Amino acid sequence: MVRQERAVRTRRLILEAAASVFDEYGYEGATIGEVVARAGVTRGAVYFHFASKRELAQGVVEEQFGRDEIPERHCKLQEFVDLGMVVAHLMPRDPLLSAGARLSLGQDVFGDFSGGAAPGWIERAESVLTAARERGELLPQVVPAETAWLVTGAWTGVQIQSQKMSGRADLERRVAVLYQHLMPSIAVPGVLATLDLGVDRGGRVVAELEAARTAEPVEPGGGDAGRAAAAGAGVGGVASR
C-alpha cells in the first residue's frame, strides 16, 4: 500500500513537471531530461510510468479531466455554465490545463491524440445537457449532442483567440460573453432568468470548492493518507461526471 501511494504521488509529480515543460517549450522542444530535472526524479522513474515522450504528453492531455469537478446546482444548465467558467478561470493558472490545450490543439509540429481533449469535453458537456433536458430546462429544439459539440468548438475558438491576443488575460470575460450569447438559444426562459453568467463566476466556484475541501474532516490518525482522501473527496455535492 505504501509503495502504491508513493507511485501515485510520483506519477502525479512527473505529470505536473511535464505539463510545465510542454506548456513552456511545446511538444517538439520538450525533453525528458527537462522533465526529470523539474520533477526531481530519476529518468528511470519517468520511464517506469511513461514509456515515451508521446505517452507522457498523452498523460498530460488526459489529466485535464480530473479538473472538471463542479458543485451541484439548482439546475443542470448552471452546472453546464460553471464547467466552462471554472476551466476558463483555471487554464491561465494551471499548467496541466494549459499544456493539455496546447498539445490538443496542434500548436506544435505534432500529431493529434485521437482528437485531443475535445472528445472528452464534448462527452462531459453532453452528459450535463442530457440531464438538463430530462429536467425540462432546454428549449424543445435543442439536441444535447449537437449543442455540446457546438459549444465546445466555440469555447475552444475563444480560448485560442484569447491566447493569441492577450495571453489568456481576458479569457474569463470572453467565455462569459460566449455563454451570455449562447444560453438564450438553449435555455427555457424560466431557467435562463436564474443563471449566473458573471465574468467572475469561475473564480467564485473554485473558491467554493477550495473552501469545501478545507472543511472536509480528516479521520483521526489519518496522516498523509487521510489528508489525501479528504482532498480527493472534494465537495460532498460535486456533480457526477
Side-chain angles (χ1 to χ4, degrees), residues 76-77 79-80 83 124-133:
K76 285 296 178 180
L77 283 184
E79 293 176 19
F80 178 70
L83 176 62
R124 177 74 172 96
E126 183 181 349
S127 69
V128 179
L129 289 170
T130 298
R133 181 182 60 185

Side-chain angles (χ1 to χ4, degrees), residues 226-241:
R227 285 191 291 274
V235 179
V238 166
S240 60
R241 292 184 226 163

Side-chain angles (χ1 to χ4, degrees), residues 210-231:
E210 290 300 323
R213 290 189 182 102
T214 301
E216 187 74 25
V218 178
E219 292 294 329
D224 290 339
R227 285 191 291 274

Side-chain angles (χ1 to χ4, degrees), residues 104 107 131 154 160 225 231:
S104 297
Q107 292 167 299
I160 292 172

Side-chain angles (χ1 to χ4, degrees), residues 17-35 37-38 53 95 98-99 102-103 107-110:
S20 69
V21 174
F22 286 129
D23 198 33
E24 183 174 346
Y25 296 107
Y27 181 80
E28 293 297 333
T31 66
I32 295 294
E34 184 63 26
V35 174
R38 294 195 187 188
K53 186 170 78 168
S98 183
R102 178 169 185 170
L103 292 167
Q107 292 167 299
D108 304 284
V109 182
F110 180 57

Side-chain angles (χ1 to χ4, degrees), residues 8-238:
V8 169
R9 289 196 297 269
T10 299
R11 185 180 188 278
R12 176 71 180 184
L13 188 65
I14 292 168
L15 281 174
E16 290 177 347
S20 69
V21 174
F22 286 129
D23 198 33
E24 183 174 346
Y25 296 107
Y27 181 80
E28 293 297 333
T31 66
I32 295 294
E34 184 63 26
V35 174
V36 167
R38 294 195 187 188
V41 298
T42 65
R43 188 175 292 266
V46 172
Y47 283 116
F48 175 80
H49 291 279
F50 304 97
S52 64
K53 186 170 78 168
R54 182 181 180 84
E55 190 173 305
L56 182 55
Q58 179 71 53
V60 170
V61 170
E62 293 174 352
E63 191 68 13
Q64 294 179 76
F65 303 107
R67 286 163 150 65
D68 65 344
E69 290 182 337
I70 49 174
E72 289 185 354
R73 300 300 182 193
H74 63 282
C75 68
K76 285 296 178 180
L77 283 184
Q78 186 64 65
E79 293 176 19
F80 178 70
V81 171
D82 287 354
L83 176 62
M85 291 304 300
V86 164
V87 176
H89 177 78
L90 291 176
M91 185 166 283
R93 301 166 172 84
D94 187 338
L96 270 162
L97 281 171
S98 183
R102 178 169 185 170
L103 292 167
S104 297
L105 296 172
Q107 292 167 299
D108 304 284
V109 182
F110 180 57
D112 67 13
F113 297 102
S114 301
W121 289 119
I122 292 170
E123 181 181 359
R124 177 74 172 96
E126 183 181 349
S127 69
V128 179
L129 289 170
T130 298
R133 181 182 60 185
E134 293 169 353
R135 295 188 181 191
E137 299 174 13
L138 300 182
L139 292 169
Q141 75 273 14
V142 176
V143 178
E146 297 295 336
T147 302
W149 198 104
L150 176 64
V151 174
T152 300
W155 197 107
T156 301
V158 167
Q159 188 276 137
I160 292 172
Q161 288 302 114
S162 176
Q163 169 66 20
K164 289 182 176 180
M165 299 179 71
S166 72
R168 298 198 186 104
D170 65 349
L171 181 57
E172 288 180 86
R173 181 170 72 86
R174 299 298 182 185
V175 171
V177 170
L178 172 67
Y179 285 116
Q180 289 162 15
H181 280 73
L182 290 180
M183 296 312 290
S185 69
I186 69 173
V188 298
V191 170
L192 179 64
T194 70
L195 296 179
D196 183 344
L197 305 174
V199 172
D200 63 342
R201 178 66 182 178
R204 286 186 279 119
V205 174
V206 169
E208 177 186 350
L209 288 165
E210 290 300 323
R213 290 189 182 102
T214 301
E216 187 74 25
V218 178
E219 292 294 329
D224 290 339
R227 285 191 291 274
V235 179
V238 166

